[in-house]
mmCIF file with all atom_site columns, all heavy atoms in Angstrom:
data_model
loop_
_atom_site.group_PDB
_atom_site.id
_atom_site.type_symbol
_atom_site.label_atom_id
_atom_site.label_alt_id
_atom_site.label_comp_id
_atom_site.label_asym_id
_atom_site.label_entity_id
_atom_site.label_seq_id
_atom_site.pdbx_PDB_ins_code
_atom_site.Cartn_x
_atom_site.Cartn_y
_atom_site.Cartn_z
_atom_site.occupancy
_atom_site.B_iso_or_equiv
_atom_site.pdbx_formal_charge
_atom_site.auth_seq_id
_atom_site.auth_comp_id
_atom_site.auth_asym_id
_atom_site.auth_atom_id
_atom_site.pdbx_PDB_model_num
ATOM 1   N N   . MET W 1 14  ? -35.213 9.036   19.700  1.00 37.00 ? 14  MET W N   1
ATOM 2   C CA  . MET W 1 14  ? -35.066 8.282   18.395  1.00 37.00 ? 14  MET W CA  1
ATOM 3   C C   . MET W 1 14  ? -34.104 7.124   18.579  1.00 37.00 ? 14  MET W C   1
ATOM 4   O O   . MET W 1 14  ? -34.301 6.041   18.182  1.00 37.00 ? 14  MET W O   1
ATOM 5   C CB  . MET W 1 14  ? -34.585 9.234   17.296  1.00 37.00 ? 14  MET W CB  1
ATOM 6   C CG  . MET W 1 14  ? -35.640 10.150  16.769  1.00 37.00 ? 14  MET W CG  1
ATOM 7   S SD  . MET W 1 14  ? -35.001 11.306  15.526  1.00 37.00 ? 14  MET W SD  1
ATOM 8   C CE  . MET W 1 14  ? -34.514 10.113  14.299  1.00 37.00 ? 14  MET W CE  1
ATOM 9   N N   . ALA W 1 15  ? -32.972 7.410   19.264  1.00 37.00 ? 15  ALA W N   1
ATOM 10  C CA  . ALA W 1 15  ? -31.999 6.372   19.470  1.00 37.00 ? 15  ALA W CA  1
ATOM 11  C C   . ALA W 1 15  ? -32.564 5.223   20.269  1.00 37.00 ? 15  ALA W C   1
ATOM 12  O O   . ALA W 1 15  ? -32.291 4.051   19.928  1.00 37.00 ? 15  ALA W O   1
ATOM 13  C CB  . ALA W 1 15  ? -30.751 6.943   20.113  1.00 37.00 ? 15  ALA W CB  1
ATOM 14  N N   . LEU W 1 18  ? -35.207 3.149   18.092  1.00 36.00 ? 18  LEU W N   1
ATOM 15  C CA  . LEU W 1 18  ? -34.725 2.373   16.943  1.00 36.00 ? 18  LEU W CA  1
ATOM 16  C C   . LEU W 1 18  ? -34.295 0.981   17.299  1.00 36.00 ? 18  LEU W C   1
ATOM 17  O O   . LEU W 1 18  ? -34.233 0.148   16.486  1.00 36.00 ? 18  LEU W O   1
ATOM 18  C CB  . LEU W 1 18  ? -33.576 3.092   16.246  1.00 36.00 ? 18  LEU W CB  1
ATOM 19  C CG  . LEU W 1 18  ? -33.979 4.406   15.574  1.00 36.00 ? 18  LEU W CG  1
ATOM 20  C CD1 . LEU W 1 18  ? -32.730 5.124   15.041  1.00 36.00 ? 18  LEU W CD1 1
ATOM 21  C CD2 . LEU W 1 18  ? -34.924 4.098   14.431  1.00 36.00 ? 18  LEU W CD2 1
ATOM 22  N N   . THR W 1 25  ? -39.935 -11.294 15.947  1.00 39.00 ? 25  THR W N   1
ATOM 23  C CA  . THR W 1 25  ? -39.338 -11.305 14.603  1.00 39.00 ? 25  THR W CA  1
ATOM 24  C C   . THR W 1 25  ? -37.834 -11.169 14.690  1.00 39.00 ? 25  THR W C   1
ATOM 25  O O   . THR W 1 25  ? -37.156 -11.518 13.772  1.00 39.00 ? 25  THR W O   1
ATOM 26  C CB  . THR W 1 25  ? -39.859 -10.216 13.734  1.00 39.00 ? 25  THR W CB  1
ATOM 27  O OG1 . THR W 1 25  ? -39.503 -8.965  14.318  1.00 39.00 ? 25  THR W OG1 1
ATOM 28  C CG2 . THR W 1 25  ? -41.356 -10.291 13.542  1.00 39.00 ? 25  THR W CG2 1
ATOM 29  N N   . GLY W 1 26  ? -37.365 -10.493 15.787  1.00 39.00 ? 26  GLY W N   1
ATOM 30  C CA  . GLY W 1 26  ? -35.953 -10.194 15.829  1.00 39.00 ? 26  GLY W CA  1
ATOM 31  C C   . GLY W 1 26  ? -35.529 -9.089  14.899  1.00 39.00 ? 26  GLY W C   1
ATOM 32  O O   . GLY W 1 26  ? -34.374 -8.769  14.749  1.00 39.00 ? 26  GLY W O   1
ATOM 33  N N   . THR W 1 34  ? -30.660 5.394   7.502   1.00 46.00 ? 34  THR W N   1
ATOM 34  C CA  . THR W 1 34  ? -29.422 5.188   6.728   1.00 46.00 ? 34  THR W CA  1
ATOM 35  C C   . THR W 1 34  ? -28.347 6.038   7.293   1.00 46.00 ? 34  THR W C   1
ATOM 36  O O   . THR W 1 34  ? -27.194 5.657   7.376   1.00 46.00 ? 34  THR W O   1
ATOM 37  C CB  . THR W 1 34  ? -29.724 5.594   5.230   1.00 46.00 ? 34  THR W CB  1
ATOM 38  O OG1 . THR W 1 34  ? -30.788 4.774   4.763   1.00 46.00 ? 34  THR W OG1 1
ATOM 39  C CG2 . THR W 1 34  ? -28.476 5.350   4.396   1.00 46.00 ? 34  THR W CG2 1
ATOM 40  N N   . TYR W 1 44  ? -34.507 7.529   5.853   1.00 87.00 ? 44  TYR W N   1
ATOM 41  C CA  . TYR W 1 44  ? -34.739 6.064   5.757   1.00 87.00 ? 44  TYR W CA  1
ATOM 42  C C   . TYR W 1 44  ? -34.902 5.701   4.250   1.00 87.00 ? 44  TYR W C   1
ATOM 43  O O   . TYR W 1 44  ? -36.009 5.676   3.719   1.00 87.00 ? 44  TYR W O   1
ATOM 44  C CB  . TYR W 1 44  ? -36.040 5.693   6.480   1.00 87.00 ? 44  TYR W CB  1
ATOM 45  C CG  . TYR W 1 44  ? -36.110 6.168   7.899   1.00 87.00 ? 44  TYR W CG  1
ATOM 46  C CD1 . TYR W 1 44  ? -36.517 7.478   8.252   1.00 87.00 ? 44  TYR W CD1 1
ATOM 47  C CD2 . TYR W 1 44  ? -35.712 5.303   8.951   1.00 87.00 ? 44  TYR W CD2 1
ATOM 48  C CE1 . TYR W 1 44  ? -36.530 7.830   9.581   1.00 87.00 ? 44  TYR W CE1 1
ATOM 49  C CE2 . TYR W 1 44  ? -35.753 5.701   10.250  1.00 87.00 ? 44  TYR W CE2 1
ATOM 50  C CZ  . TYR W 1 44  ? -36.146 6.999   10.597  1.00 87.00 ? 44  TYR W CZ  1
ATOM 51  O OH  . TYR W 1 44  ? -36.201 7.351   11.839  1.00 87.00 ? 44  TYR W OH  1
ATOM 52  N N   . TRP W 1 59  ? -40.838 11.214  -8.634  1.00 94.00 ? 59  TRP W N   1
ATOM 53  C CA  . TRP W 1 59  ? -42.136 10.613  -8.887  1.00 94.00 ? 59  TRP W CA  1
ATOM 54  C C   . TRP W 1 59  ? -43.177 11.241  -7.976  1.00 94.00 ? 59  TRP W C   1
ATOM 55  O O   . TRP W 1 59  ? -44.287 11.626  -8.468  1.00 94.00 ? 59  TRP W O   1
ATOM 56  C CB  . TRP W 1 59  ? -42.041 9.071   -8.658  1.00 94.00 ? 59  TRP W CB  1
ATOM 57  C CG  . TRP W 1 59  ? -43.317 8.403   -8.638  1.00 94.00 ? 59  TRP W CG  1
ATOM 58  C CD1 . TRP W 1 59  ? -44.236 8.164   -9.684  1.00 94.00 ? 59  TRP W CD1 1
ATOM 59  C CD2 . TRP W 1 59  ? -43.958 7.766   -7.510  1.00 94.00 ? 59  TRP W CD2 1
ATOM 60  N NE1 . TRP W 1 59  ? -45.309 7.443   -9.289  1.00 94.00 ? 59  TRP W NE1 1
ATOM 61  C CE2 . TRP W 1 59  ? -45.173 7.205   -7.928  1.00 94.00 ? 59  TRP W CE2 1
ATOM 62  C CE3 . TRP W 1 59  ? -43.529 7.677   -6.150  1.00 94.00 ? 59  TRP W CE3 1
ATOM 63  C CZ2 . TRP W 1 59  ? -45.955 6.531   -7.046  1.00 94.00 ? 59  TRP W CZ2 1
ATOM 64  C CZ3 . TRP W 1 59  ? -44.421 6.980   -5.286  1.00 94.00 ? 59  TRP W CZ3 1
ATOM 65  C CH2 . TRP W 1 59  ? -45.621 6.420   -5.731  1.00 94.00 ? 59  TRP W CH2 1
ATOM 66  N N   . VAL W 1 70  ? -35.371 17.343  -4.092  1.00 95.00 ? 70  VAL W N   1
ATOM 67  C CA  . VAL W 1 70  ? -34.804 16.064  -4.639  1.00 95.00 ? 70  VAL W CA  1
ATOM 68  C C   . VAL W 1 70  ? -33.369 15.978  -4.248  1.00 95.00 ? 70  VAL W C   1
ATOM 69  O O   . VAL W 1 70  ? -32.504 16.571  -4.918  1.00 95.00 ? 70  VAL W O   1
ATOM 70  C CB  . VAL W 1 70  ? -35.049 15.928  -6.189  1.00 95.00 ? 70  VAL W CB  1
ATOM 71  C CG1 . VAL W 1 70  ? -34.450 14.636  -6.679  1.00 95.00 ? 70  VAL W CG1 1
ATOM 72  C CG2 . VAL W 1 70  ? -36.569 16.052  -6.460  1.00 95.00 ? 70  VAL W CG2 1
ATOM 73  N N   . ALA W 1 77  ? -40.031 14.670  5.215   1.00 96.00 ? 77  ALA W N   1
ATOM 74  C CA  . ALA W 1 77  ? -40.923 15.280  4.214   1.00 96.00 ? 77  ALA W CA  1
ATOM 75  C C   . ALA W 1 77  ? -41.280 14.229  3.089   1.00 96.00 ? 77  ALA W C   1
ATOM 76  O O   . ALA W 1 77  ? -42.387 14.175  2.657   1.00 96.00 ? 77  ALA W O   1
ATOM 77  C CB  . ALA W 1 77  ? -40.287 16.466  3.580   1.00 96.00 ? 77  ALA W CB  1
ATOM 78  N N   . TYR W 1 90  ? -53.510 2.800   -0.942  1.00 94.00 ? 90  TYR W N   1
ATOM 79  C CA  . TYR W 1 90  ? -53.093 1.470   -0.513  1.00 94.00 ? 90  TYR W CA  1
ATOM 80  C C   . TYR W 1 90  ? -53.412 1.165   0.959   1.00 94.00 ? 90  TYR W C   1
ATOM 81  O O   . TYR W 1 90  ? -52.805 0.333   1.594   1.00 94.00 ? 90  TYR W O   1
ATOM 82  C CB  . TYR W 1 90  ? -51.555 1.235   -0.799  1.00 94.00 ? 90  TYR W CB  1
ATOM 83  C CG  . TYR W 1 90  ? -51.418 1.122   -2.263  1.00 94.00 ? 90  TYR W CG  1
ATOM 84  C CD1 . TYR W 1 90  ? -51.088 2.267   -2.993  1.00 94.00 ? 90  TYR W CD1 1
ATOM 85  C CD2 . TYR W 1 90  ? -51.638 -0.073  -2.945  1.00 94.00 ? 90  TYR W CD2 1
ATOM 86  C CE1 . TYR W 1 90  ? -50.977 2.170   -4.403  1.00 94.00 ? 90  TYR W CE1 1
ATOM 87  C CE2 . TYR W 1 90  ? -51.586 -0.111  -4.357  1.00 94.00 ? 90  TYR W CE2 1
ATOM 88  C CZ  . TYR W 1 90  ? -51.202 0.981   -5.045  1.00 94.00 ? 90  TYR W CZ  1
ATOM 89  O OH  . TYR W 1 90  ? -51.129 0.934   -6.362  1.00 94.00 ? 90  TYR W OH  1
ATOM 90  N N   . ILE W 1 96  ? -49.814 10.700  9.448   1.00 96.00 ? 96  ILE W N   1
ATOM 91  C CA  . ILE W 1 96  ? -48.940 11.276  8.449   1.00 96.00 ? 96  ILE W CA  1
ATOM 92  C C   . ILE W 1 96  ? -47.782 11.953  9.227   1.00 96.00 ? 96  ILE W C   1
ATOM 93  O O   . ILE W 1 96  ? -47.793 13.174  9.470   1.00 96.00 ? 96  ILE W O   1
ATOM 94  C CB  . ILE W 1 96  ? -49.659 12.233  7.480   1.00 96.00 ? 96  ILE W CB  1
ATOM 95  C CG1 . ILE W 1 96  ? -50.915 11.575  6.915   1.00 96.00 ? 96  ILE W CG1 1
ATOM 96  C CG2 . ILE W 1 96  ? -48.720 12.775  6.394   1.00 96.00 ? 96  ILE W CG2 1
ATOM 97  C CD1 . ILE W 1 96  ? -50.636 10.361  6.035   1.00 96.00 ? 96  ILE W CD1 1
ATOM 98  N N   . ALA W 1 107 ? -48.445 -0.824  3.923   1.00 97.00 ? 107 ALA W N   1
ATOM 99  C CA  . ALA W 1 107 ? -49.036 -0.242  2.752   1.00 97.00 ? 107 ALA W CA  1
ATOM 100 C C   . ALA W 1 107 ? -48.074 -0.209  1.554   1.00 97.00 ? 107 ALA W C   1
ATOM 101 O O   . ALA W 1 107 ? -48.497 -0.483  0.425   1.00 97.00 ? 107 ALA W O   1
ATOM 102 C CB  . ALA W 1 107 ? -49.502 1.213   3.088   1.00 97.00 ? 107 ALA W CB  1
ATOM 103 N N   . ARG W 1 110 ? -48.112 -3.604  0.030   1.00 97.00 ? 110 ARG W N   1
ATOM 104 C CA  . ARG W 1 110 ? -49.322 -3.847  -0.800  1.00 97.00 ? 110 ARG W CA  1
ATOM 105 C C   . ARG W 1 110 ? -49.089 -3.184  -2.208  1.00 97.00 ? 110 ARG W C   1
ATOM 106 O O   . ARG W 1 110 ? -49.425 -3.842  -3.242  1.00 97.00 ? 110 ARG W O   1
ATOM 107 C CB  . ARG W 1 110 ? -50.559 -3.264  -0.157  1.00 97.00 ? 110 ARG W CB  1
ATOM 108 C CG  . ARG W 1 110 ? -51.107 -4.097  0.999   1.00 97.00 ? 110 ARG W CG  1
ATOM 109 C CD  . ARG W 1 110 ? -52.462 -3.641  1.507   1.00 97.00 ? 110 ARG W CD  1
ATOM 110 N NE  . ARG W 1 110 ? -52.419 -2.386  2.242   1.00 97.00 ? 110 ARG W NE  1
ATOM 111 C CZ  . ARG W 1 110 ? -52.166 -2.323  3.553   1.00 97.00 ? 110 ARG W CZ  1
ATOM 112 N NH1 . ARG W 1 110 ? -51.888 -3.414  4.260   1.00 97.00 ? 110 ARG W NH1 1
ATOM 113 N NH2 . ARG W 1 110 ? -52.178 -1.177  4.153   1.00 97.00 ? 110 ARG W NH2 1
ATOM 114 N N   . THR W 1 119 ? -43.511 -10.644 -3.301  1.00 96.00 ? 119 THR W N   1
ATOM 115 C CA  . THR W 1 119 ? -44.211 -11.895 -3.035  1.00 96.00 ? 119 THR W CA  1
ATOM 116 C C   . THR W 1 119 ? -44.200 -12.299 -1.548  1.00 96.00 ? 119 THR W C   1
ATOM 117 O O   . THR W 1 119 ? -44.682 -13.345 -1.180  1.00 96.00 ? 119 THR W O   1
ATOM 118 C CB  . THR W 1 119 ? -43.744 -13.067 -3.906  1.00 96.00 ? 119 THR W CB  1
ATOM 119 O OG1 . THR W 1 119 ? -42.344 -13.266 -3.622  1.00 96.00 ? 119 THR W OG1 1
ATOM 120 C CG2 . THR W 1 119 ? -43.960 -12.804 -5.402  1.00 96.00 ? 119 THR W CG2 1
ATOM 121 N N   . ARG W 1 136 ? -36.660 -1.965  -7.264  1.00 95.00 ? 136 ARG W N   1
ATOM 122 C CA  . ARG W 1 136 ? -37.177 -2.097  -8.671  1.00 95.00 ? 136 ARG W CA  1
ATOM 123 C C   . ARG W 1 136 ? -38.099 -0.967  -8.971  1.00 95.00 ? 136 ARG W C   1
ATOM 124 O O   . ARG W 1 136 ? -38.060 -0.373  -10.070 1.00 95.00 ? 136 ARG W O   1
ATOM 125 C CB  . ARG W 1 136 ? -37.973 -3.452  -8.852  1.00 95.00 ? 136 ARG W CB  1
ATOM 126 C CG  . ARG W 1 136 ? -37.073 -4.664  -8.937  1.00 95.00 ? 136 ARG W CG  1
ATOM 127 C CD  . ARG W 1 136 ? -37.815 -5.889  -9.378  1.00 95.00 ? 136 ARG W CD  1
ATOM 128 N NE  . ARG W 1 136 ? -38.730 -6.406  -8.379  1.00 95.00 ? 136 ARG W NE  1
ATOM 129 C CZ  . ARG W 1 136 ? -38.478 -7.126  -7.364  1.00 95.00 ? 136 ARG W CZ  1
ATOM 130 N NH1 . ARG W 1 136 ? -37.224 -7.498  -7.103  1.00 95.00 ? 136 ARG W NH1 1
ATOM 131 N NH2 . ARG W 1 136 ? -39.454 -7.533  -6.547  1.00 95.00 ? 136 ARG W NH2 1
ATOM 132 N N   . ALA W 1 138 ? -38.157 2.029   -7.544  1.00 93.00 ? 138 ALA W N   1
ATOM 133 C CA  . ALA W 1 138 ? -37.345 3.253   -7.562  1.00 93.00 ? 138 ALA W CA  1
ATOM 134 C C   . ALA W 1 138 ? -36.480 3.384   -8.812  1.00 93.00 ? 138 ALA W C   1
ATOM 135 O O   . ALA W 1 138 ? -36.402 4.463   -9.431  1.00 93.00 ? 138 ALA W O   1
ATOM 136 C CB  . ALA W 1 138 ? -36.479 3.309   -6.331  1.00 93.00 ? 138 ALA W CB  1
#
Side-chain angles (χ1 to χ4, degrees):
M14 286 178 62
L18 290 174
T25 66
T34 302
Y44 304 86
W59 169 69
V70 177
Y90 291 94
I96 306 298
R110 285 190 286 276
T119 59
R136 286 190 293 277

